[in-house]
Amino acid sequence: MSYPVVIVGSGLAGYNVARELRKLDAPAPLLVISRDHAGLYSKPMLSNALAGRKTAADLVMKPAEQMAVDLNARVLANTSVARIDTAARTLMLHNGEAVVYRDLVLALGADPIRLPLAGNAAHMVLAVNDLDDFHAFARALNGATGGLAVKRVAILGAGLLGCEFANDLLALGISPTVLDLAERALGRLLPPRSSAWLQSKLEAAGASFRFGVAATSVDHHASGHGLTLTLSDGGTIDADLVLSATGLRPRTALAAQAGLAVNRGVVVDRTLQASAAHVYAVGDLAEVEGLNLPFVMPIMQQARALAATLAGKPTPVNYPAMPVVVKTPACPTVVCPPAMGAQGQWRVTEDEDGLEAHFIGSAADQPLLGFALHGKATARRQALAAQVPAALPVIV
C-alpha cells in the first residue's frame, strides 16, 4: 500500500504545495486536511475586500469539492488533527480516524494575538484571520449584530494589517481610529520619515492615529449603543466596533505536542524539514534559519522548493529580496526591510509625488540592504530589489 502525502491546512501555503507537487508527481496519493470549509481563497485579499464590495462568498475561488478534483486528492473539510505520532508516521483526527502518512506537511497558519482586555464588552472585539472572520466582520459593519450601521471603528494595532484595514474602511465612508503603543505606523517595517508619509496620507483620506496608548478595557456604552474603550493613559474613546490587528502567532501547539522543535515557528532546515523525518512546515508556521516570514512571496518560494523535495529531489528553499506591497491605495507603499541587525542608515528623498528611502549598508561592498517606496516611487521596486542581497541565498 502506498501511503499519502498529507497536508494539514488549506490556505495559501497548503494548497500551493499541493499544486506544485502535482506538477512534478501526478500519481502520488495526496490528502489535504482542513479545519474549515477547505475552499480556495486568498487570505491576503481579506484586508482590501471591503473596497471592492466583496463578500466572503465572492472571495472563494473554488470549493473543496473542485479542489479535490483539480488536485486528484482527498480533501477533508471541517476536520482537525488531535495529535501526531512522528515515530509511527500517523495522525489521529478528532473524529477518531487514524491516518498514516508517507510525508507530512504542516501548513497550519497562525492565530491573531489577543490583547488581555478587561470590560463587559471585551468579547465583542473582532479579528480577521480567515474567511469566517471576514464574514462576521462584514456583517457587524452592516449593523447585523446591533441593527445600526457602523460609523466609528477603532483598530488596535498600527502594523501591516491595521493600516490595510484602516484604508479599506475608508472606502465604506468609515473614518477609523488606529491605536498603538508604538510611536508610529508600520514601525517594524518602515523608517521614521517613511512611516510619517504613510500616516499623513491615510490621515488626509480620513483615518486618525493615536500612538503611545493601548486599549485596556472595552465596555458597552452607557447609552446602550456602541462601545467605550478605556485607554492606558486614562482616556476613553467611543466606537461602534473594535477590530484587533495586533499581529499573528504561528499555530505551533500541535507540533510541540508531537515533540518537534519549536521557537517562534516550527524550526525547519533549508529543505523545510522539521526535527522529525518526513515532517515539513510551510507558510506562517515555518521558521527557516531564524526567519519567520508570513508573506506571499516567501510562501511561494517554499511551495516550489518543498514540492521538488517531496517529488524526490531534495531542494533547499531560497529567499531572494522580496518586497512587500502594502495594500493602502491612499498611499501606495512597497517595503523591502533590511535584515534584522543589519548595520547602516536610511537615506530619504521625497517630493510631492512620492518618497524613496534606501537603507545603505556600512560595508563598502553592500551599499543597498533595503528600501521603502511611496507614491510614484513604487515603480522602482523591481530595479531596487535586484540590488538587495538575498535573505536566503542559493546554496551552491
Side-chain angles (χ1 to χ4, degrees):
M1 179 179 179
S2 180
Y3 294 118
V5 173
V6 178
I7 300 173
V8 183
S10 62
L12 188 68
Y15 268 147
N16 272 287
V17 170
R19 284 171 152 177
E20 294 296 329
L21 178 59
R22 274 294 174 253
K23 295 176 183 177
L24 302 174
D25 189 344
L30 179 60
L31 169 62
V32 178
I33 301 173
S34 176
R35 69 176 192 168
D36 63 16
H37 54 87
L40 175 67
Y41 73 97
S42 175
K43 182 178 174 180
M45 294 294 292
L46 297 178
S47 60
N48 67 344
L50 297 173
R53 301 300 192 267
K54 300 289 187 181
T55 67
D58 293 332
L59 294 175
V60 178
M61 293 176 278
K62 292 183 180 180
E65 296 78 9
Q66 187 59 51
M67 291 303 296
V69 173
D70 291 354
L71 293 170
N72 185 25
R74 182 186 179 200
V75 176
L76 292 179
N78 303 307
T79 302
S80 55
V81 176
R83 63 182 181 274
I84 303 169
D85 183 337
T86 60
R89 292 200 216 174
T90 302
L91 302 178
M92 184 60 70
L93 307 183
H94 276 293
N95 63 11
E97 180 181 353
V99 176
V100 181
Y101 60 83
R102 188 200 83 186
D103 292 292
L104 174 63
V105 179
L106 299 177
L108 297 163
D111 288 314
I113 296 172
R114 293 283 191 170
L115 298 177
L117 296 170
N120 59 28
H123 64 284
M124 296 184 67
V125 175
L126 301 177
V128 177
N129 189 46
D130 58 31
L131 206 59
D132 291 338
D133 291 341
F134 177 76
H135 178 64
F137 180 51
R139 287 184 73 247
L141 287 171
N142 290 327
T145 57
L148 298 174
V150 169
K151 298 295 183 184
R152 304 163 299 174
V153 175
I155 299 177
L156 310 182
L160 190 67
L161 287 179
C163 289
E164 290 184 348
F165 273 111
N167 194 116
D168 212 30
L169 288 167
L170 293 170
L172 301 184
I174 295 173
S175 298
T177 299
V178 184
L179 309 172
D180 204 306
L181 268 175
E183 298 179 350
R184 51 194 176 85
L186 256 66
R188 293 183 179 181
L189 291 178
L190 298 177
R193 181 63 197 129
S194 179
S195 180
W197 180 283
L198 173 66
Q199 179 183 337
S200 68
K201 298 301 182 183
L202 288 174
E203 287 176 334
S208 61
F209 291 83
R210 292 188 62 175
F211 294 108
V213 295
T216 58
S217 67
V218 180
D219 294 275
H220 292 286
H221 194 274
S223 68
H225 298 291
L227 306 168
T228 297
L229 287 76
T230 301
L231 307 181
S232 55
D233 64 358
T236 61
I237 64 169
D238 294 333
D240 300 309
L241 187 151
V242 181
L243 178 67
S244 179
T246 52
L248 299 172
R249 182 176 289 114
R251 295 182 180 128
T252 58
L254 186 65
Q257 290 167 6
L260 299 176
V262 168
N263 188 31
R264 173 173 172 76
V266 174
V267 178
V268 296
D269 64 18
R270 287 285 292 271
T271 66
L272 301 169
Q273 182 172 294
S275 55
H278 300 283
V279 181
Y280 303 85
V282 290
D284 294 8
L285 197 62
E287 182 177 322
V288 190
E289 293 193 359
L291 296 176
N292 184 249
L293 303 177
F295 305 116
V296 173
M297 290 181 68
I299 289 173
M300 301 308 292
Q301 294 289 120
Q302 292 173 7
R304 287 189 285 268
L306 181 52
T309 295
L310 294 173
K313 182 181 179 181
T315 302
V317 67
N318 305 310
Y319 289 163
M322 297 177 290
V324 177
V325 177
V326 183
K327 297 187 291 297
T328 49
C331 180
T333 298
V334 175
V335 58
C336 185
M340 186 71 68
Q343 299 298 309
Q345 61 182 342
W346 286 100
R347 297 178 184 174
V348 180
T349 58
E350 62 182 286
D351 57 31
E352 60 182 13
D353 293 323
L355 179 147
E356 189 166 329
H358 296 181
F359 189 84
I360 306 299
S362 300
D365 60 342
Q366 291 184 329
L368 182 65
L369 300 182
F371 59 85
L373 309 172
H374 301 284
K376 289 187 176 180
T378 57
R380 285 180 38 78
R381 70 171 177 171
Q382 289 186 332
L384 292 177
Q387 302 175 39
V388 176
L392 285 179
V394 175
I395 296 176
V396 295

